[in-house]
Amino acid sequence: QVQLVESGGGLVQPGGSLRLSCAASGFTFSSYGMSWYRQAPGKEREFVALISSTTGSTKYADSVKGRFTISRDNTKNMVYLQMNSLKPEDTAVYYCKRTGFWGQGTQVTVSS
């Protein structure tokens, strides 16, 4: 079955960096675009970043543009989110997504 397993979350100070990973299985990974979403307490889940399947093109939410970078390794069925210059407002559960499927999420907390 399709599985998306996030890792790499944790507590980081403002201005710091984290790299999230998503391990995908149960489908032909290279055929699908992959995305990251996040959900802060009391807020709706929001789009963060996308990377396409074939062209490798990327798209980012305005709130993270210039700070976050999405990438993928099709030989390892992995998608990553490099997060730099983190802000307290980046605190959320981060989810890896494929069309029709979500990972379980990993907590990112940005606090002094």
Side-chain angles (χ1 to χ4, degrees), residues 57-77:
S57 63
T58 58
K59 182 180 180 181
Y60 299 92
D62 287 343
S63 58
V64 307
K65 196 171 298 181
R67 300 188 297 121
F68 291 10
T69 302
I70 188 171
S71 61
R72 66 191 297 161
D73 185 342
N74 287 341
T75 70
K76 298 179 179 178
N77 289 2

Side-chain angles (χ1 to χ4, degrees), residues 10-18 86 108-112:
L11 176 64
V12 64
Q13 294 182 336
S17 297
L18 281 175
L86 283 162
V108 172
T109 302
V110 185
S111 180
S112 298

Side-chain angles (χ1 to χ4, degrees), residues 19-99:
R19 189 196 196 208
L20 305 184
S21 299
C22 174
S25 61
F27 64 99
T28 304
F29 179 74
S30 61
S31 296
Y32 290 85
M34 300 294 297
S35 299
W36 288 95
Y37 283 70
R38 67 187 182 186
Q39 188 167 22
K43 298 187 67 178
E44 296 293 319
R45 192 169 298 185
E46 66 175 346
F47 168 80
V48 175
L50 175 146
I51 185 164
S52 68
S53 59
T54 56
T55 68
S57 63
T58 58
K59 182 180 180 181
Y60 299 92
D62 287 343
S63 58
V64 307
K65 196 171 298 181
R67 300 188 297 121
F68 291 10
T69 302
I70 188 171
S71 61
R72 66 191 297 161
D73 185 342
N74 287 341
T75 70
K76 298 179 179 178
N77 289 2
M78 297 288 291
V79 59
Y80 307 98
L81 186 68
Q82 178 66 47
M83 306 185 295
N84 299 326
S85 302
L86 283 162
K87 306 173 181 179
E89 51 262 45
D90 295 319
T91 295
V93 176
Y94 284 72
Y95 297 89
C96 182
K97 178 187 178 292
R98 195 208 89 175
T99 301

